[in-house]
Amino acid sequence: MVEFLELEAQDGVRMPWNVIPGTKQESAQSIIPVAAIYTPLKPFPSMPVLPYTPLRCRTCRSVLNPFAIVDFSAKLWICPFCFQRNHFPAHYSSISDLNLPAELFPNYTTLEYESPSDATPVPMVFMLVVDTCLIEEEMGFLKSALAQAMDLVPDNSLVGMITFGTYVQVHELGFGHVSKSYVFKGTKDVSKDQLLEQMNFFARKPRPTTGVVAGSRDGLSAESIARFLLPVAECEFALNSVLEELQKDPWPVPADQRAVRCTSTALSVAASLLGACVPGSGARIMAFIGGPSTEGAGAIVSKILSEPIRSHKDLDKDSAPHYHKAVKFYEGLAKQLVHQGHVLDLFACALDQVGVAELKIAVERTGGIVVLAESFGHAVFRDSLKRVFQSTDYDLGLSSNGIFEINCSKDIKVQGIIGPCASLEKKGPLCSDTVVGQGNTSAWKLCGLDKDTSLCLIFDVVKKDIPDAIGQSTSNQFYFQFLTYYQHGNGQMRLRVTTLSRRWIAGPGSIQDLIAGFDQETAAVVMARVVSFKMETEAEFDPIRWLDRSLIQLCSRFGDYQKDNPSSFSLSPRFSIFPQFIFHLRRSQFVQVFNNSPDETAYFRMILNRENVANSVVMIQPSLISYSFHSGPEPALLDVAAIAADRILLLDSYFTVVVFHGATIAQWRNAGYQNQPEHEVFAQLLRAPRDDADAIIKERFPVPRLVICDQHGSQARFLLAKLNPSATYNSASSLPGGDILFTDDVSFEVFLDHLQRLAVQ
């Protein structure tokens, strides 16, 4: 495992197969696809930033890298991707094997270029879109959270404000004397031209007769833009006034109806306004939504309260009347935002669903942030919003306007990317016929990305078969190059280049090499992303059956056993935890939609699709740490047997962090022993898991929910739902002081038993 972490620490890449099955047939037999999970902006303290433009191959446009073959005397380099011979330009004339430019250093496989430009850095733009159909208490929470957040925004950032309920109000922050806003009807779709006309953009400067209106360079005066988007420092008073005066939507709501909420119209107005004023800049629409949309093209439910909001069952049966229309609307909005280079962030805080399932496509294609909480007063929302703007060691490192391109050896093609990006439809010889996720392209748009954004690239090995002559020679290398062109937090454009090489292998005797290069954590994460994608796009798809079949085929190919003898079955240490990952993945919230709303399922999958391997593994198989008097904190098996009356357990399932006190510990705590000086050790025992929980919460985004509970308490369900049911109500009795689970789910032992029986057939 360690060597895979070292590779990630060098390039931000992890692959399930670090020795690649070298032919189409071998790759199909290996079950897990050839893939890579890449974190384009992973911070590397020692990575050089070069102050000049990169040298590119004249045929395939790949960038000069340490794998290029260099002829110093002829001043030539040979591209490892297309074998084109390229001449070095004059300013490289002094290079020799003792005087290398940084991009040829063997350990600089990842580096960045920031070519000096005269263009002034573009400030960030934040357009706040605020729901006003909230009860007074929620309104108060939201206003104070926004006021705190605005104090953290950099002074030169531009801010705009839109509020919505029955109508959409665009606030003119540049008019400081009194609050002034432009009002649009929630039921009406407003085009960009109508918007500009009605908001008096051409009062002083006439509209250009030809071309597209796009910002101050194309048809709009800087003064007219500054009415709605101002630097925070200049509009602080106006913004605070608007926030203070924010009232609940004044239109009366009959007792048998829902509030009239035109979420989609407000987002559409925000997108058109940003598209006209600041196209191509790093702008973010930050939507704060407190309930379901009932008006406009993106409505998810009717106004009549007796009609319930769609459930998973309704979606499966195709009996959710508003769903497809809303998804189609947000698909169009996603296209518009990607074209403009803008991001949609979603903060959904309500006890009921708000429409995250429909909005998912727009948030994911633009690389937006998503936070789901029960209330605007909840720590999950408050602390997550602060983290967006904070500049501390744990800041998100928000960047914008990215373009991601890929180059690879000719025997490998790209099926697509599962992750927060949108296809730029750049077709070419690299595109595979099979499409997964955002495919049919070798370039993608990343409107918003941060230092944790991770893309899952799925590849296709197209090599047919291999002549014996090159059987196992050492030059069997596949090369990959990832190029990420993005706007850094400092406003400058940068290009990050990561170049990797992986050995490929084929033919008899290749199995041991494949096993040696297998990274089971990454394999589990790739399978989780693929199964989530299939569940959303394939009708009648059975995820459990697909996962089971894949696992059985993998074990029968890579396991050691005598045919038809289950007791002889064993797996190499490289594969040994993989069945456990799949067992927990089958029970996880990504696959089991029971007891989750479509909004929650969409939220969980959006986070899974943007996080790195380490975080995703915790989502699939939570970590459990046990604290007791007998020993220090130690990892415990994720099993009901881990529960004991004299133990405290700390469960980290990524979205929730649970501190669980055994029955005896809870009794002692309720009796107040920790406050007595002679029981200082007990006080330390109670403190230790809380400190560890705080450390986890501090560096995670979105901020997880903290649950503190006791054995046999109602909140203990957060822990029990994740444990392997090795002791249930119909099995032998549990250990004294332990617990049993009331479930009919099979335990991991039974699962493994069946797996062994089927794999050896």
Side-chain angles (χ1 to χ4, degrees):
M1 219 58 225
V2 179
E3 64 271 45
F4 304 137
L5 293 172
E6 281 170 6
L7 288 172
E8 185 181 26
Q10 188 182 345
D11 292 314
V13 178
R14 279 182 73 173
M15 300 177 80
W17 301 108
N18 287 284
V19 175
I20 294 177
T23 65
K24 198 175 180 65
Q25 188 191 359
E26 293 261 340
S27 163
Q29 286 171 346
S30 298
I31 314 300
I32 312 269
V34 173
I37 291 186
Y38 177 50
T39 309
L41 300 192
K42 187 177 169 70
F44 298 116
S46 58
M47 178 187 67
V49 178
L50 308 180
Y52 48 84
T53 51
L55 207 52
R56 287 178 177 261
C57 166
R58 62 171 196 240
T59 309
C60 69
R61 307 293 297 143
S62 65
V63 171
L64 178 63
N65 59 75
F67 302 106
I69 298 164
V70 180
D71 180 343
F72 292 108
S73 53
K75 299 285 182 275
L76 280 174
W77 62 280
I78 299 169
C79 169
F81 296 97
C82 65
F83 309 115
Q84 169 70 42
R85 299 164 77 81
N86 297 282
H87 287 278
F88 281 105
H91 58 271
Y92 277 80
S93 58
S94 62
I95 68 165
S96 68
D97 46 4
L98 297 174
N99 182 20
L100 289 175
E103 58 264 50
L104 288 175
F105 275 43
N107 52 337
Y108 287 161
T109 43
T110 292
L111 39 72
E112 287 196 352
Y113 295 89
E114 184 179 274
S115 41
S117 68
D118 306 329
T120 49
V122 194
M124 284 292 281
V125 181
F126 298 103
M127 174 62 81
L128 310 178
V129 178
V130 179
D131 179 358
T132 57
C133 298
L134 306 173
I135 57 171
E136 295 299 341
E137 187 186 20
E138 285 293 297
M139 202 71 195
F141 289 143
L142 179 55
K143 280 155 67 167
S144 82
L146 287 173
Q148 279 182 337
M150 288 303 102
D151 290 343
L152 297 168
V153 173
D155 281 349
N156 66 340
S157 300
L158 304 182
V159 172
M161 177 92 168
I162 291 176
T163 54
F164 70 94
T166 311
Y167 289 85
V168 178
Q169 290 185 292
V170 184
H171 296 270
E172 189 175 321
L173 298 177
F175 193 77
H177 318 297
V178 291
S179 28
K180 174 180 172 187
S181 59
Y182 290 79
V183 180
F184 296 91
K185 205 168 175 188
T187 47
K188 211 166 149 201
D189 209 14
V190 191
S191 73
K192 187 162 137 189
D193 292 336
Q194 288 169 322
L195 190 83
L196 294 172
E197 209 58 60
Q198 288 171 22
M199 289 169 69
N200 295 335
F201 270 95
F202 305 113
R204 299 212 179 137
K205 182 180 179 185
R207 186 192 179 103
T209 46
T210 57
V212 179
V213 174
S216 51
R217 281 175 307 191
D218 285 316
L220 291 187
S221 65
E223 298 82 56
S224 64
I225 293 173
R227 287 160 50 212
F228 301 100
L229 292 172
L230 269 91
V232 177
E234 288 174 33
C235 69
E236 201 168 347
F237 176 72
L239 189 63
N240 285 335
S241 305
V242 171
L243 281 174
E244 276 165 29
E245 289 165 18
L246 258 192
Q247 294 289 321
K248 180 176 187 281
D249 190 48
W251 298 91
V253 180
D256 62 343
Q257 292 194 7
R258 294 184 171 90
V260 180
R261 194 183 263 108
C262 57
T263 311
S264 53
T265 314
L267 293 175
S268 176
V269 166
S272 299
L273 184 60
L274 289 178
C277 296
V278 286
S281 70
R284 306 185 82 96
I285 297 173
M286 307 187 87
F288 300 89
I289 302 176
S293 169
T294 52
E295 189 92 293
I300 67 159
V301 68
S302 75
K303 295 181 199 64
I304 298 155
L305 258 178
S306 57
E307 183 196 310
I309 299 181
R310 81 259 170 302
S311 65
H312 276 294
K313 217 171 219 148
D314 298 328
L315 296 181
D316 289 344
K317 287 195 204 145
D318 213 6
S319 59
H322 306 273
Y323 181 73
H324 294 293
K325 185 184 172 198
V327 169
K328 193 172 175 198
F329 169 80
Y330 286 119
E331 213 162 27
L333 184 71
K335 249 191 191 128
Q336 179 188 347
L337 288 170
V338 167
H339 177 67
Q340 294 170 187
H342 297 158
V343 182
L344 172 61
D345 294 328
L346 177 60
F347 297 87
C349 297
L351 287 167
D352 208 343
Q353 302 183 66
V354 306
V356 179
E358 286 81 357
L359 275 155
K360 174 177 191 277
I361 188 164
V363 177
E364 204 156 49
R365 296 264 169 95
T366 60
I369 287 165
V370 57
V371 175
L372 187 67
E374 289 168 9
S375 147
F376 286 113
H378 204 294
V380 169
F381 165 72
R382 278 200 329 267
D383 299 347
S384 297
L385 183 63
K386 264 191 227 145
R387 284 281 303 283
V388 174
F389 299 107
Q390 252 168 8
S391 46
T392 59
D393 300 347
Y394 301 114
D395 68 345
L396 302 184
L398 290 180
S399 301
S400 50
N401 248 326
I403 288 180
F404 179 75
E405 291 190 49
I406 181 172
N407 228 317
C408 40
S409 300
K410 69 177 190 328
D411 290 319
I412 272 201
K413 294 192 172 185
V414 186
Q415 292 185 1
I417 291 182
I418 301 177
C421 63
S423 160
L424 283 175
E425 290 169 18
K426 181 185 172 188
K427 295 187 171 57
L430 279 181
C431 305
S432 163
D433 300 336
T434 317
V435 175
V436 178
Q438 293 288 296
N440 250 334
T441 178
S442 57
W444 294 262
K445 179 83 181 167
L446 305 170
C447 300
L449 66 168
D450 56 58
K451 59 189 186 191
D452 285 329
T453 303
S454 301
L455 306 172
C456 175
L457 299 104
I458 311 276
F459 299 105
D460 209 354
V461 178
V462 290
K463 202 187 227 331
K464 283 288 188 288
D465 50 14
I466 51 161
D468 293 338
I470 55 167
Q472 303 301 328
S473 77
T474 49
S475 62
N476 297 350
Q477 295 289 337
F478 277 149
Y479 295 101
F480 304 87
Q481 189 170 69
F482 305 141
L483 305 172
T484 314
Y485 189 63
Y486 71 101
Q487 183 182 331
H488 189 265
N490 65 12
Q492 295 294 344
M493 292 306 289
R494 284 190 177 186
L495 171 68
R496 180 178 289 210
V497 182
T498 294
T499 316
L500 333 160
S501 106
R502 291 287 186 271
R503 185 164 64 96
W504 62 262
I505 194 151
S510 62
I511 279 198
Q512 286 313 314
D513 286 0
L514 288 175
I515 290 175
F518 185 69
D519 178 350
Q520 44 198 346
E521 287 189 349
T522 310
V525 175
V526 169
M527 291 301 263
R529 285 204 195 193
V530 172
V531 82
S532 298
F533 172 73
K534 283 177 176 287
M535 285 178 79
E536 282 172 2
T537 53
E538 293 181 18
E540 306 296 313
F541 174 71
D542 183 345
I544 300 280
R545 189 149 179 235
W546 183 80
L547 285 169
D548 286 352
R549 278 230 315 261
S550 304
L551 181 61
I552 292 163
Q553 289 168 341
L554 190 80
C555 288
S556 63
R557 170 130 207 253
F558 294 101
D560 272 337
Y561 56 88
Q562 296 155 1
K563 195 160 169 50
D564 293 331
N565 180 2
S567 61
S568 67
F569 181 86
S570 69
L571 278 171
S572 134
R574 286 276 191 231
F575 278 84
S576 56
I577 319 174
F578 188 70
Q580 201 172 311
F581 286 141
I582 296 295
F583 172 76
H584 289 290
L585 176 58
R586 289 164 88 244
R587 304 182 73 214
S588 72
Q589 64 270 51
F590 307 115
V591 174
Q592 297 294 343
V593 295
F594 176 75
N595 214 7
N596 283 324
S597 66
D599 272 17
E600 288 169 313
T601 301
Y603 172 66
F604 295 139
R605 289 180 182 161
M606 282 156 96
I607 305 281
L608 172 76
N609 283 347
R610 55 171 293 135
E611 282 302 329
N612 61 22
V613 174
N615 284 342
S616 305
V617 164
V618 173
M619 296 178 210
I620 296 166
Q621 180 177 316
S623 72
L624 190 64
I625 296 172
S626 152
Y627 301 78
S628 69
F629 287 118
H630 319 301
S631 61
E634 56 183 7
L637 279 176
L638 193 62
D639 192 299
V640 67
I643 295 176
D646 59 349
R647 266 189 194 172
I648 303 177
L649 295 175
L650 173 65
L651 175 91
D652 176 12
S653 67
Y654 195 84
F655 301 100
T656 41
V657 173
V658 183
V659 179
F660 174 96
H661 303 97
T664 311
I665 300 268
Q667 283 167 350
W668 291 346
R669 183 204 57 213
N670 295 342
Y673 288 176
Q674 69 277 16
N675 304 325
Q676 299 170 6
E678 67 269 28
H679 293 300
E680 176 58 29
V681 177
F682 179 57
Q684 283 170 0
L685 180 67
L686 285 178
R687 254 199 321 269
R690 284 300 299 270
D691 292 347
D692 291 351
D694 290 343
I696 292 169
I697 289 168
K698 203 169 175 179
E699 56 182 39
R700 180 159 303 160
F701 186 89
V703 171
R705 173 179 180 167
L706 177 64
V707 176
I708 293 170
C709 60
D710 298 339
Q711 190 174 357
H712 312 307
S714 71
Q715 299 257 299
R717 65 183 190 276
F718 284 99
L719 171 74
L720 299 180
K722 296 290 182 190
L723 299 179
N724 168 35
S726 62
T728 66
Y729 68 96
N730 57 11
S731 67
S733 60
S734 67
L735 299 167
D739 228 325
I740 59 167
L741 295 184
F742 292 91
T743 178
D744 289 324
D745 282 2
V746 298
S747 68
F748 181 57
E749 293 71 26
V750 176
F751 175 77
L752 210 52
D753 194 40
H754 282 261
L755 173 64
Q756 289 173 351
R757 272 214 305 259
L758 291 163
V760 300
Q761 282 175 10

